[in-house]
Amino acid sequence: MTTSGNSPYSSSGQPETTGRYLVLLDTDNIDDGLRAMDDSAGIRHVAHSADFRDHSPSGEQLASEDSLVFDELGVAVVTMEPGQAQALNAATMRGSSVIAVEPERVVRAIEDPDPDGYLPAPPGFAETDIITIPVDYLKGYRDAVNHLVDRLLPKEQEAESVLGRGGAVADGSITWGLDVTKASTSQYSGLGLKVAVLDTGFDLTHPDFVGRAVSSKSFIEGEEVQDGNGHGTHCIGTACGSKLPEILPRYGVAYNSEIYVGKVLSNEGSGADGGILAGINWAIASGCQIISMSLGAMVLPGQNHSAVYENVGRRALRRGSLIIAAAGNDSFRQFGVIVPVSHPANCPSIMAIAALRPNLKMAPFSNGGINRNGGQIDLAAPGVDVYSSWPMPTRYSTISGTSMATPHVAGLAALHAEATGARGRELWAQLTQRAWRLSLPSRDVGSGLAQAPD
């Protein structure tokens, strides 16, 4: 079996790792955990995120430190030999303040699921099942099936029929995502809320964001926050874009929120767990109530979620920060293939978001909650033909993915937080309780389509 050049898996089907490790510590006894790291594995001279500006290191500092603990999260990123990692793992069995040790993964932007060329086969599935099928053939097959369904069930396409060019409703004033989530008619705007988007950065020169409160930091060595990819700018536009952009349609949900840009993925769209955790640590230390992450790594059937990220999700909720992440684009539902929710969205304490088409049916690429131990879908949101901001001079782009669904929910979370004052787990409950129930399995859409407060 071969793998795609963009796959976060090696040819053996195992997650791609960096050689570093994540060490989960007891937040009430971080110093005890650091002493245990020294006693068990000889790891000394651990830097603290609290010692750096904004409570997080820059990309260069993150790369240069062999051992660094994120004080807000109780997680250390450590360069060590496998034997040292084994010694630390043994310490977890003895009931020390070291709770878990995991390899650091490579994590990537969850990209538009319709690339040119050939679609890669997910690890664990036979290569001949999918990888040799040209995209043009799959598109033709998909279009033929959709045409037949539309003829037999014409009511299913009613939602799509109101769309104009670029994913906007027919009058061109708003995108279909803002329409079906009722964001366009909500009286709330995210005023006073801080929304962090951890992605490929942001086009700080985009004219639709002039005058907005934007804080930013890069956690990628050698790269500034300025977005050389487009993925981050698109996600920020959906979550926090202007109510009155210079060129319609309106595409942003929480248009009065404060924007926090964490560049945790390179301009090529790749990063690692350490950078993601640095961005989360920075967002929590900055008081961000919502953290949006359209990134991940594929998870295999039966694979457990990360103990480190699960604890980070819990600790964030206790601090009043809700982490929202993309479920992943690895499925081929037209062939009956549903892939589990991606890392880190598969953690029970991180909200996982699936993608819907304009007719409110499942996007064929959207992953599902098929793993028993975590990995559930919590909500669904618009994720096909989503129009939003893009780096200049292109300015706008229409793309698809669970990456596009996730910032819809992040923006809606800001509206609910403004409307109710809810934070953390209470905010999670508000979002799921207000969701519009759909005639689709909870495995695929969780509580349903996310909705704005009135």
Side-chain angles (χ1 to χ4, degrees):
M1 182 178 71
T2 59
T3 57
S4 162
N6 289 326
S7 173
Y9 275 76
S10 66
S11 59
S12 66
Q14 295 302 309
E16 185 180 347
T17 58
T18 67
R20 299 195 301 177
Y21 292 84
L22 309 179
V23 182
L24 179 65
L25 307 173
D26 183 344
T27 50
D28 293 329
N29 297 287
I30 287 180
D31 288 341
D32 288 349
L34 296 179
R35 280 191 290 271
M37 288 169 58
D38 187 1
D39 294 341
S40 302
I43 298 168
R44 303 178 178 87
H45 311 297
V46 180
H48 286 258
S49 62
D51 295 335
F52 296 95
R53 182 181 177 184
D54 300 327
H55 290 265
S56 279
S58 65
E60 287 71 23
Q61 292 165 333
L62 185 62
S64 65
E65 295 289 348
D66 287 335
S67 302
L68 172 68
V69 61
F70 298 111
D71 297 284
E72 306 290 337
L73 308 178
V75 178
V77 181
V78 182
T79 300
M80 56 183 170
E81 298 297 325
Q84 292 174 292
Q86 290 174 1
L88 268 184
N89 266 316
T92 67
M93 305 298 179
R94 297 194 297 268
S96 74
S97 295
V98 176
I99 300 172
V101 180
E102 298 177 359
E104 181 188 40
R105 298 191 191 205
V106 173
V107 182
R108 291 190 169 88
I110 297 182
E111 298 176 344
D112 187 332
D114 190 23
D116 294 331
Y118 291 79
L119 292 173
F125 296 97
E127 176 182 342
T128 54
D129 286 346
I130 297 173
I131 201 168
T132 58
I133 302 174
V135 166
D136 286 344
Y137 177 87
L138 291 176
K139 287 180 178 178
Y141 178 88
R142 176 198 63 195
D143 292 344
V145 171
N146 287 344
H147 177 69
L148 179 61
V149 169
D150 290 343
R151 287 186 61 190
L152 296 175
L153 301 172
K155 290 184 179 180
E156 290 194 353
Q157 64 177 341
E158 287 179 357
E160 288 178 330
S161 69
V162 302
L163 296 184
R165 294 183 60 188
V169 296
D171 68 0
S173 63
I174 57 170
T175 59
W176 77 269
L178 269 61
D179 181 37
V180 299
T181 61
K182 297 184 172 57
S184 60
T185 57
S186 176
Q187 63 179 303
Y188 299 101
S189 62
L191 183 65
L193 277 299
K194 298 179 178 181
V195 178
V197 179
L198 308 183
D199 211 287
T200 63
F202 180 54
D203 181 2
L204 299 169
T205 70
H206 200 288
D208 287 356
F209 296 83
V210 172
R212 293 289 296 279
V214 179
S215 301
S216 62
K217 187 160 186 174
S218 175
F219 302 96
I220 299 297
E221 184 180 13
E223 293 188 10
E224 300 298 324
V225 167
Q226 186 65 23
D227 187 6
N229 179 285
H231 194 268
T233 299
H234 197 278
C235 291
I236 288 171
T238 299
C240 307
S242 173
K243 183 180 182 181
L244 294 171
E246 290 188 6
I247 301 173
L248 292 175
R250 174 189 162 191
Y251 52 86
V253 177
Y255 56 86
N256 266 330
S257 61
E258 296 182 45
I259 302 169
Y260 280 73
V261 182
K263 187 182 182 83
V264 300
L265 302 175
S266 70
N267 289 331
E268 286 70 44
S270 65
D273 283 328
I276 311 303
L277 293 169
I280 295 173
N281 191 84
W282 169 72
I284 292 174
S286 300
C288 295
Q289 297 90 354
I290 298 105
I291 302 171
S292 181
M293 304 196 309
S294 293
L295 49 82
M298 187 186 289
V299 168
L300 301 181
Q303 184 177 344
N304 288 335
H305 60 76
S306 162
V308 171
Y309 272 88
E310 169 57 15
N311 277 270
V312 166
R314 292 177 187 172
R315 292 167 181 179
L317 289 169
R318 287 199 296 267
R319 294 286 300 272
S321 297
L322 172 61
I323 303 176
I324 302 168
N329 301 342
D330 308 301
S331 295
F332 296 86
R333 289 173 179 267
Q334 63 271 47
F335 294 101
V337 177
I338 301 177
V339 175
V341 173
S342 294
H343 162 82
N346 64 333
C347 295
S349 296
I350 295 176
M351 180 173 276
I353 309 303
L356 295 171
R357 297 162 55 196
N359 62 3
L360 302 186
K361 299 301 180 183
M362 289 305 302
F365 51 79
S366 191
N367 291 354
I370 65 172
N371 278 349
R372 291 185 178 181
N373 186 18
Q376 76 281 357
I377 295 292
D378 296 297
L379 286 170
V384 174
D385 294 336
V386 175
Y387 171 95
S388 185
S389 50
W390 199 258
M392 299 296 285
T394 303
R395 193 163 182 163
Y396 305 109
S397 183
T398 301
I399 57 177
S400 302
T402 55
S403 281
M404 287 60 256
T406 300
H408 276 98
V409 178
L412 294 169
L415 305 192
H416 279 282
E418 179 191 3
T420 66
R423 303 289 186 270
R425 289 195 182 278
E426 185 183 355
L427 180 56
W428 184 314
Q430 286 282 339
L431 285 162
T432 55
Q433 289 167 8
R434 291 294 302 273
W436 181 16
R437 302 309 191 258
L438 300 172
S439 57
L440 293 168
S442 59
R443 173 202 65 188
D444 294 331
V445 298
S447 296
L449 172 62
Q451 298 284 281
D454 296 335

